[in-house]
Amino acid sequence: MISRPPFLARLERFAVVDSTQRVVRDWLGAGVPEVAVAVAGEQTAGRGRLGRSWQAPAGRALLLSVGFRPVGLAAGHAWRLGAIVAQAMLDAAEEVAGLRERSLWLKWPNDLVAVDPEGQLRKVAGVLGETALDDDGRVATAAVGIGVDGDWAAADFPAELAPTMTSLRELAGGRPIDHEALLDAFLDRLEPRYEGLLTGRFDVGGWSVRQICTGREVEVAVGGEVLEGRAVGMAPESGSLRLETADGIGREVDAGEVIRCRVV
Ligand code: BTN
């Protein structure tokens, strides 16, 4: 029998912390081995993508960061760490919330969304990836955080986010969501995906097919600019969004986010 190190080297729960990203980055800096997971009931300085803050009331979201030391992972494939975290959570969330398959989707780069009856996308979770490279241009360490709107009733959604967000609890018809069960289901699904990545495998097909915006008209924020066009697919090597603009020109957008994508 081949013996291998356990998938999880460390899993620590915090009632309140500033940010699980900060915790995991500190661990990685201090030499803590992979895979190291910090989970919080509440964050006082939660961080989102593009310098935004990330807020959720105590106990209403599953807030966690995963620390990786992905030996041999090329810098150009660092985005795949965020993608496997999003894929693992997509499957875990559908199962734990008792949702039909394909109730949840990915919106580039790594948001988890649901489609409401009016065809508007509602954000359920967001992913933040931060990597450090070694001298050979490979990923030395990565902290990938995800915040999932889990056991959060719509009556408690902040007014400014209510039109664009939802939660697993709402999608489950108001049934409570067990964040511990969601964490377990997520880690079970993350392990094979991460082991695959370390041996050069990535589920490009599964990742592409769950992209809700493919084939639809979108607006994409890129730096200070907003690009309009049709999302025509994903680039499997770079993780870029392939966009066809109105003048028929094809572009690959490697950084930014889809800010509009109407489904019906
Ligand atoms: C986004 O902007 O959509 C990404 C949000 C990521 C939030 C999570 S919550 C757990 C982890 N700790 C943080 O400070 N941020 C991430």
Side-chain angles (χ1 to χ4, degrees):
M1 200 172 106
I2 301 168
S3 85
R4 59 187 170 100
F7 170 64
L8 278 188
R10 184 164 185 171
L11 170 64
E12 206 167 316
R13 292 177 178 77
F14 300 85
V16 186
V17 76
D18 53 351
S19 159
T20 57
Q21 282 295 104
R22 196 274 304 154
V23 170
V24 162
R25 287 176 55 156
D26 283 0
W27 286 351
L28 292 169
V32 168
E34 71 165 2
V35 169
V37 178
V39 186
E42 184 181 4
Q43 297 182 125
T44 55
R47 295 195 290 113
R49 297 181 60 249
L50 307 173
R52 293 183 294 241
S53 66
W54 181 267
Q55 289 169 7
R60 295 297 165 227
L62 176 61
L63 309 167
L64 66 93
S65 296
V66 187
F68 298 105
R69 298 180 181 278
V71 174
L73 186 67
H77 283 167
W79 63 272
R80 291 182 172 178
L81 290 164
I84 63 168
V85 165
Q87 284 175 305
M89 189 59 84
L90 193 74
D91 293 339
E94 283 183 347
E95 181 190 277
V96 170
L99 307 178
R100 272 186 295 111
E101 268 183 41
R102 311 278 167 111
S103 299
L104 297 175
W105 297 86
L106 300 172
K107 177 170 77 68
W108 188 82
N110 277 318
D111 283 353
L112 270 61
V113 297
V115 183
D116 76 10
E118 280 75 48
Q120 303 284 355
L121 300 188
R122 301 270 185 153
K123 185 161 172 167
V124 179
V127 173
L128 171 66
E130 298 174 299
T131 52
L133 303 184
D134 65 20
D135 294 341
D136 301 328
R138 295 186 171 270
V139 180
T141 60
V144 181
I146 183 164
V148 187
D149 301 337
D151 193 38
W152 193 345
D156 301 325
F157 291 171
E160 67 279 15
L161 296 178
T164 57
M165 70 175 283
T166 190
S167 67
L168 296 179
R169 182 172 176 139
E170 287 305 312
L171 294 169
R175 269 189 295 109
I177 301 297
D178 181 343
H179 290 169
E180 279 299 310
L182 183 57
L183 174 65
D184 283 349
F186 164 70
L187 293 173
D188 282 351
R189 285 161 178 78
L190 184 63
E191 179 171 5
R193 288 190 182 275
Y194 184 53
E195 288 184 350
L197 209 59
L198 293 180
T199 55
R201 285 179 286 119
F202 173 67
D203 176 17
V204 180
W207 178 68
S208 300
V209 85
R210 299 303 291 271
Q211 300 287 335
I212 189 73
C213 297
T214 301
R216 304 184 194 281
E217 296 301 317
V218 294
E219 290 179 17
V220 187
V222 183
E225 206 188 348
V226 175
L227 302 177
E228 289 182 31
R230 177 177 288 266
V232 291
M234 315 302 299
E237 278 304 307
S238 63
S240 300
L241 175 72
R242 290 188 168 135
L243 191 68
E244 202 173 273
T245 48
D247 46 18
I249 295 174
R251 277 183 76 147
E252 291 202 355
V253 186
D254 62 358
E257 61 186 16
V258 172
I259 53 170
R260 249 180 108 80
C261 164
R262 205 179 153 78
V263 170
V264 288

